[in-house]
Amino acid sequence: MSRPVTLFTGQWADLPLTKLAKAASEMGYNGLELACWGDHFDVFKAAKDKKYCAQKRAMLKRNKLDCFAISNHLAGQLVCDLNDDARSDGFAPAKCAGNAEKKREWAVSAMKATAKAAKNMGVEVVNGFVGSSIWHLLYSFPPVSASMIDEGYKYFAHMWNPILDEFDKCKVKFALEVHPTEIAFDIVSSERALAALDNRETFGFNFDPSHLGYQGVDYVKFIRRFKDRIYHVHMKDAWWGHGDGTVGVFGGHTEFGDPRRYWDFRSLGHGDINFEEIIVALNDINYQGPLSVEWEDIRMDRLHGARESCEFVKRIDFKPSGVAFDAAFDSKNR
């Protein structure tokens, strides 16, 4: 193993962090990627109180765990999302429910606080979402003009540049998890997102192959295309082409786990993602950060899956060679 293996706590927010930390340590994880919801990490407290961060660090240390990144997907989503229905009401305080702009205003303050919280926690990367004001325009009917898409990227830059200014002050990077419903969901839209921000260095990506593979996007090419912007990596599997032919890539309004679905998330090693190619590409770009398991599989017990996933990542990760394999044939070594 050449990189620390961590567990993203977002899907475990129903458990107290102390209980999850103990379990993760027993499973063999090296650290936790703390989600900024549940009792796992409060960005407003952390931004103001270094003692709060020290207590979190001490608890992790007692369980022989580290923390390399925090993640605030829920607040980030509200920054550019339309926020015009009840689906996201639970992402913000109850007083914001039903009010799109109140949710947005709270989210901007939360993301600025997240930068300060990360600094106080001693981590250099925040993962998350940014939302999108144009995701609903994905399928171009009724016809969508180029100017409408342009306005969406301008709005993204307008909303996120002030937040990223705070990240700059704190010397923390923001890593967008490229994902459907975001301003960037494949390679081309990721290029456009970077261009909208004038390629500012603060903004990069949390690479997650599971959201690219079922779309038909070359996830290994993504690593090589954005070799200087891969700030964090999620290890997450998916399969596709396993349904009964009645549901397409858009999901057919079916639930995860429905056997008719064209694609679904799977526990690591049980899907169609080629992780060996990913490890080779990460070695080629000299990525030295954590490999963070984001565990989602409706078909499997999560404790079994998380333990198995930790073992899987440690088994398939390998250091790049420090020598040329044919160096022994050099005349100097004879």
Side-chain angles (χ1 to χ4, degrees):
M1 183 194 69
S2 59
R3 285 163 279 240
V5 180
T6 62
L7 179 67
F8 175 44
T9 72
Q11 287 76 18
W12 306 75
D14 57 309
L15 297 179
L17 185 59
T18 51
K19 183 176 181 179
L20 177 58
K22 184 176 184 295
S25 180
E26 291 172 350
M27 291 178 199
Y29 284 95
N30 306 117
L32 295 180
E33 175 195 346
L34 295 179
C36 301
W37 55 89
D39 81 331
H40 293 190
F41 196 72
D42 185 322
V43 296
F44 291 104
K45 286 184 179 179
K48 296 179 180 179
D49 187 0
K50 291 184 179 180
K51 184 182 291 186
Y52 172 84
C53 295
Q55 290 170 343
K56 292 288 184 182
R57 282 281 184 188
M59 185 277 295
L60 292 174
K61 188 175 181 180
R62 286 195 298 273
N63 288 282
K64 300 180 181 179
L65 296 171
D66 205 339
C67 180
F68 304 92
I70 61 174
S71 293
N72 204 351
H73 292 67
L74 305 187
Q77 181 68 23
L78 299 178
V79 175
C80 286
D81 197 276
L82 295 179
N83 301 331
D84 58 352
D85 59 48
R87 291 177 301 158
S88 61
D89 280 353
F91 292 1
K95 64 182 180 181
C96 301
N99 189 311
E101 292 311 312
K102 279 188 177 180
K103 286 191 276 188
R104 195 179 324 282
E105 182 180 355
W106 174 85
V108 170
S109 66
M111 292 313 299
K112 289 181 177 179
T114 303
K116 296 176 183 177
K119 178 182 178 181
N120 288 345
M121 189 64 180
V123 300
E124 297 179 353
V125 175
V126 169
N127 301 314
F129 290 153
V130 298
S132 173
S133 63
I134 54 175
W135 174 252
H136 66 292
L137 305 178
L138 180 67
Y139 195 85
S140 195
F141 189 85
V144 177
S145 67
S147 63
M148 294 172 73
I149 303 302
D150 290 342
E151 286 303 311
Y153 281 93
K154 289 177 183 176
Y155 179 69
F156 158 64
H158 169 74
M159 293 302 299
W160 274 90
N161 269 323
I163 296 171
L164 295 174
D165 288 343
E166 195 63 44
F167 275 75
D168 276 336
K169 292 176 186 176
C170 296
K171 297 182 180 179
V172 173
K173 288 182 167 61
F174 180 80
L176 167 64
E177 185 169 335
V178 176
H179 184 294
T181 75
E182 303 310 307
I183 198 69
F185 51 91
D186 57 17
I187 291 175
V188 171
S189 56
S190 296
E191 291 174 337
R192 194 160 182 178
L194 285 171
L197 298 173
D198 293 325
N199 293 297
R200 64 186 297 172
E201 188 178 351
T202 317
F203 181 87
F205 301 116
N206 174 41
F207 171 74
D208 186 329
S210 71
H211 304 299
L212 301 173
Y214 69 81
Q215 292 188 69
V217 178
D218 188 330
Y219 47 85
V220 176
K221 182 178 287 186
F222 187 99
I223 294 172
R224 299 188 186 283
R225 169 62 185 84
F226 300 110
K227 61 183 180 180
D228 297 325
R229 299 296 178 127
I230 305 296
Y231 294 157
H232 193 265
V233 170
H234 270 180
M235 300 293 275
K236 185 177 174 185
D237 212 342
W239 69 1
W240 53 92
H242 293 268
D244 68 356
T246 65
V247 176
V249 71
F250 295 129
H253 296 302
T254 59
E255 298 291 333
F256 288 119
D258 190 314
R260 297 170 296 174
R261 285 177 63 90
Y262 172 75
W263 69 273
D264 230 325
F265 296 125
R266 295 304 313 275
S267 190
L268 285 167
H270 294 276
D272 295 316
I273 298 295
N274 188 326
F275 286 99
E276 180 160 346
E277 287 193 20
I278 288 172
I279 295 300
V280 170
L282 292 175
N283 284 343
D284 286 348
I285 69 167
N286 196 33
Y287 173 78
Q288 298 296 318
L291 301 177
S292 189
V293 172
E294 182 181 15
W295 193 86
E296 291 182 359
D297 190 333
I298 196 68
R299 294 171 171 84
M300 186 182 291
D301 174 79
R302 67 178 177 179
L303 290 174
H304 173 89
R307 182 183 298 276
E308 183 185 66
S309 293
C310 182
E311 294 168 354
F312 175 86
V313 176
K314 289 185 176 184
R315 185 171 67 251
I316 60 99
D317 190 23
F318 52 86
K319 294 181 180 180
S321 175
V323 297
F325 72 89
D326 57 355
F329 301 132
D330 192 288
S331 60
K332 297 176 183 177
N333 295 316
R334 294 175 187 169

